[in-house]
Amino acid sequence: MKNLITKLAGMALAVGLAATGAAQAGKIDEIRERGTVRIGVSLGGEPIGFRDAQNNPVGYDVDVATMLAEKLGVPVEFVDVSGDARISMLVSGQIDIAVANTSATLERAKSVDFSIPYNRAGLRIIVQKDAGITSLEGLAGKKIVVGRGSTGETFIKKAAPQAELVYTDNFSPEGVLLLQQKRVDAAIEDSSLLDYLATKNENLVTLPGLHSNDPIGIAVAKGDEGFVRWIDMFVSDYIQSGAYETNYKKWWGETANPPALTPLW
């Protein structure tokens, strides 16, 4: 009996050590062993993420994702993710990381983990200049483009319940095209996208004020706290090294004022 107990204890210890080793290996080792990191980026709007004339992913988030892959020491495999798919693709393991203009909300944090903010934005409304819309109340009975599953959709449903929602999975080109063709009266999106769009189209104007102040975080699947901590350190270095300010001004112009971000340490 004593020998049996000893053998069982040894087996339990061996299993425990194996499980500990697997846990310690974590996502970073998995990515390095695979030899590539799958990063979800949203290519739905300039300057956050879009495709250039050669169909290559470019934009603010694409640059951040590229820097992150370089720090991991592996090539990046970009995966275009729509607004409502970012979280589900992380949970299902289709992507390793989402650098996809994702607002870090309490509801989303139930499903995935977020880094400290690598950007900030607020919800803003853009309208046709001749639509006569000057406030949220003016959206009643008007067609407004919203991203499916986005924080903008949630906000408009509460703030302007009489508005007619027109859904899109990718704000660019779908939502932008609807605005350009005047098939909708307005749109709600991150200020980072709409401020840029308004400078490119004289028929569109943004309404004053922001309707949120959202931290934009890098998202990963739950289950690896060490991986989240490493990404926090990456973002902290991104901010303190000056790369954040340089990258922001690259896409919004040298006179732009990057939102204030706080590094972890």
Side-chain angles (χ1 to χ4, degrees):
M1 177 64 71
K2 184 177 180 180
N3 289 338
L4 177 60
I5 294 174
T6 301
K7 287 181 180 179
L8 289 174
M11 290 171 63
L13 179 60
V15 170
L17 288 173
T20 301
Q24 288 177 340
K27 193 68 175 180
I28 292 179
D29 285 340
E30 175 190 321
I31 289 169
R32 288 176 172 166
E33 287 174 8
R34 186 197 310 137
T36 184
V37 57
R38 303 164 302 181
I39 301 183
V41 291
S42 180
L43 304 178
E46 300 179 41
I48 293 292
F50 58 106
R51 292 187 182 276
D52 63 14
Q54 289 72 45
N55 205 38
N56 297 312
V58 292
Y60 175 84
D61 275 0
V62 175
D63 284 351
V64 174
T66 300
M67 294 179 209
L68 194 157
E70 289 174 352
K71 295 294 185 181
L72 283 169
V74 295
V76 60
E77 176 187 339
F78 290 115
V79 180
D80 188 5
V81 295
S82 59
D84 60 344
R86 295 170 291 188
I87 305 303
S88 62
M89 291 182 75
L90 279 171
V91 173
S92 64
Q94 296 177 68
I95 57 176
D96 302 306
I97 304 168
V99 185
N101 197 36
T102 310
S103 299
T105 66
L106 286 173
E107 185 62 31
R108 286 173 176 160
K110 294 176 183 177
S111 304
V112 298
D113 286 329
F114 284 97
S115 71
I116 61 174
Y118 72 98
N119 198 4
R120 278 188 174 274
L123 291 174
R124 196 189 293 281
I125 295 171
I126 193 168
V127 301
Q128 305 286 353
K129 273 187 178 180
D130 58 4
I133 302 170
T134 58
S135 66
L136 283 170
E137 291 72 21
L139 290 172
K142 302 290 187 179
K143 293 182 178 180
I144 180 168
V145 174
V146 299
R148 194 184 309 276
S150 67
T151 51
E153 176 192 359
T154 303
F155 172 79
I156 286 296
K157 282 182 174 179
K158 293 180 180 178
Q162 301 305 313
E164 181 181 343
L165 304 189
V166 178
Y167 289 96
T168 179
D169 289 322
N170 291 295
F171 183 70
S172 177
E174 296 168 8
V176 173
L177 187 61
L178 289 171
L179 284 166
Q180 291 174 336
Q181 295 177 343
K182 291 197 169 184
R183 293 164 59 191
V184 295
D185 305 293
I188 185 166
E189 254 294 350
D190 287 344
S191 56
S192 53
L193 296 175
L194 297 189
D195 290 346
Y196 184 83
L197 178 60
T199 66
K200 303 294 183 181
N201 193 312
E202 61 182 14
N203 295 318
L204 300 172
V205 60
T206 56
L207 297 187
L210 297 179
H211 300 290
S212 65
N213 183 6
D214 300 327
I216 309 299
I218 296 173
V220 298
K222 286 186 175 296
D224 192 335
E225 293 183 7
F227 191 38
V228 180
R229 185 171 183 270
W230 184 89
I231 293 179
D232 278 341
M233 293 179 70
F234 163 78
V235 176
S236 185
D237 180 70
Y238 172 67
I239 297 167
Q240 293 189 91
S241 68
Y244 164 57
E245 182 174 354
T246 299
N247 193 29
Y248 195 93
K249 290 186 175 182
K250 171 184 175 180
W251 293 104
W252 279 275
E254 285 299 320
T255 60
N257 294 310
L261 298 180
T262 303
L264 189 62
W265 63 84

